[in-house]
Amino acid sequence: MDMTALIADLDGIRIEENDKIIQQKSRDFYWYSPVLKRQLDHVTADLVVSPRTEAELIHVLKACYARNVPVTPRGTGTGNYGQAMPLSGGVVLSLADLNEIRQISPGRVICGPGVICSDLDKAAREASGQELRMHPSTAHTATIGGFIAGGSGGVGSISWGGLRDFGNIIRLRVVTMEAEPQVLELTGEDLHKVTHAYGTNGIITEVEMPLAPAYDWVDSIVGFDSFDEATVYANALARQDGILTKLISVVAAPCPFDYFKRHQKFLTEGQSVVLVMVAPHSHDAFKAFTARHSGEIVFDATTAGDLKGLPPMFELAWNHTTLRALRVDPAWTYLQTLYPFPNQLELTSKMDRMFPGELISHLEFVRFDGDITCFGLPLIRYSNEERLDEIIDLHNAHGCPVFNPHRFTLEEGGMKQTDEIQLAFKRQADPKGLLNPGKMIAWDDPDYDFQSGKVWLFKGLKQAS
């Protein structure tokens, strides 16, 4: 790759050539996985390019296409499985400067992909008393475009489901990587071509997302003597249609007391907890419901006194739970599992007991295909790769599909199923295969089995239709 010539082609566009900064911008939170840490530690780009407008971005894609330089798009690198890591070097395309909020109106926002999720919420609250339906636990650092291209759901999914569900993204503007890049406006079924696709088939330059009423959500922690009691309560709370929540997470002992250091003074050793964000108008109902279920509200933001230094409740949940454990004990890693409705309570209890000393249960309750169930982000004490694979196989064998966070391809992670329709769009949008190469097996392996019977979070378009 002739990077000197490419730099000349990109005159006037912001370029980073400092090796240390390039390496930093070539990384995400891949090190959550000891497997990916070993596989990806060496990965780095040759350049970081930061366009400020769609026109500059198109210029970058044309220049890189002409010189056969791979392009890996990046928000702020808060992904967990190498989504934004440039396996073939080349250019890391930072979209952080495409951060204009263009329009906020009833039920929707239009903005650039580089807007930080919490900044988007702040602007929507100030302009109209609205907020995003859902955001990752990394809302204070993650971009909205990165969330769409690399995420699946999060805080708010208890009410709204995930990004895979119709209506949770309204429209995406996407630029292809061709000799003359096309600008596509995607809506409806077509959105599923680029959601959770790691930018392998087009670069998002504008996002239109639905908004919901904003509330001053009340953070609470409910304590229980056992994991099973906590799970039964959380499942029942999630099914209370009149109590509006944004987060219902179960974290088994000993994780809360040992790893939630800033909240430790509210917690008791050996206690399993349910983390809750509840709307103010549902707060009294929440307290009454919790008393009926013999839950002990050990922390309530309305009565806890000085909250200075305490993270928001969502920064104890989703993959922040893993992060807090890792900061204290780097031997932990995690899985991503689904406990399918209607057997979620039986399955969570069974998995919790199956791996004593190796697994700490952590559940996120969500709406999934119209029912309440839970995803698992259990902490796994890592010994070796073989044992990790055994634990994954045992989950799958007992009806708890694992979306493997120790793989960096779309297919092996189990999140996104590529099929003929998806692949045809990739050929159209990226004929040379220069967009985030190495992340889509179906592109690299013509014999790849599209019909694999495994469970996929984002189903193939052929299957979905």
Side-chain angles (χ1 to χ4, degrees), residues 289-304:
F289 179 82
T290 301
R292 183 182 284 183
H293 275 260
S294 304
E296 180 192 0
I297 298 178
V298 297
F299 171 81
D300 187 302
T302 63
T303 56

Side-chain angles (χ1 to χ4, degrees), residues 316-331:
L316 300 179
W318 291 88
N319 236 344
H320 261 75
T321 311
T322 312
L323 180 60
R324 293 189 185 281
L326 275 168
R327 280 178 176 163
V328 179
D329 183 350

Side-chain angles (χ1 to χ4, degrees), residues 342-358:
N343 304 314
Q344 64 267 33
L345 296 183
E346 173 198 335
L347 292 169
T348 56
S349 182
K350 184 193 289 185
M351 292 299 108
D352 183 66
R353 294 191 303 268
M354 191 175 285
F355 307 99
E358 286 186 290

Side-chain angles (χ1 to χ4, degrees), residues 220-233:
S220 297
I221 301 176
V222 186
F224 291 90
D225 291 334
S226 75
F227 167 72
D228 284 349
E229 288 174 307
T231 305
V232 168
Y233 162 81

Side-chain angles (χ1 to χ4, degrees), residues 54-107:
E54 183 180 87
E56 284 191 358
L57 183 141
I58 289 170
H59 182 82
V60 173
L61 292 180
K62 281 181 74 167
C64 290
Y65 184 89
R67 297 194 180 276
N68 296 312
V69 175
V71 173
T72 301
R74 181 184 200 271
T76 48
T78 59
N80 298 120
Y81 13 89
Q83 295 104 308
M85 295 182 67
L87 302 185
S88 301
V91 164
V92 160
L93 183 71
S94 171
L95 301 171
D97 290 342
L98 292 171
N99 59 0
E100 181 189 358
I101 299 174
R102 296 181 184 123
Q103 183 184 330
I104 295 169
S105 54

Side-chain angles (χ1 to χ4, degrees), residues 232-292:
V232 168
Y233 162 81
N235 189 72
L237 176 62
R239 299 180 69 78
Q240 290 296 303
D241 293 336
I243 299 178
L244 182 59
T245 55
K246 193 171 184 177
L247 180 78
I248 301 177
S249 314
V250 179
V251 186
C255 178
F257 186 82
D258 286 359
Y259 304 137
F260 296 170
K261 291 298 188 183
R262 294 193 197 171
H263 284 83
Q264 191 181 56
K265 61 188 175 187
F266 303 103
L267 305 170
T268 305
E269 207 163 354
Q271 200 173 49
S272 293
V273 302
V274 182
L275 313 175
V276 182
M277 291 170 65
V278 62
H281 60 267
S282 291
H283 191 221
D284 287 340
F286 157 72
K287 288 191 289 186
F289 179 82
T290 301
R292 183 182 284 183

Side-chain angles (χ1 to χ4, degrees), residues 103-250:
Q103 183 184 330
I104 295 169
S105 54
R108 63 181 70 206
V109 60
I110 299 172
C111 66
V115 183
I116 302 295
C117 292
S118 61
D119 292 344
L120 195 49
D121 267 356
K122 184 169 181 279
R125 277 173 176 264
E126 289 172 355
S128 62
Q130 300 182 97
E131 64 184 17
L132 289 168
R133 287 180 175 182
M134 67 189 77
H135 61 73
S137 66
T138 51
H140 289 300
T141 48
T143 63
I144 188 65
F147 181 42
I148 291 165
S152 58
V155 185
S157 288
I158 183 58
S159 293
W160 295 102
L163 292 172
R164 69 198 273 280
D165 295 315
F166 281 111
N168 281 334
I169 302 167
I170 298 172
R171 177 181 60 87
L172 296 174
R173 186 173 167 94
V174 175
V175 176
T176 65
M177 189 167 182
E178 306 171 74
E180 291 296 331
Q182 300 176 67
V183 179
L184 309 176
E185 298 276 351
L186 303 182
T187 59
E189 186 77 74
D190 287 336
L191 290 167
H192 297 288
K193 295 172 178 173
V194 294
T195 53
H196 203 87
Y198 304 175
T200 54
N201 48 23
I203 305 297
I204 298 168
T205 61
E206 186 173 81
V207 170
E208 186 170 353
M209 294 294 280
L211 298 175
Y215 297 102
D216 293 324
W217 300 94
V218 179
D219 287 350
S220 297
I221 301 176
V222 186
F224 291 90
D225 291 334
S226 75
F227 167 72
D228 284 349
E229 288 174 307
T231 305
V232 168
Y233 162 81
N235 189 72
L237 176 62
R239 299 180 69 78
Q240 290 296 303
D241 293 336
I243 299 178
L244 182 59
T245 55
K246 193 171 184 177
L247 180 78
I248 301 177
S249 314
V250 179

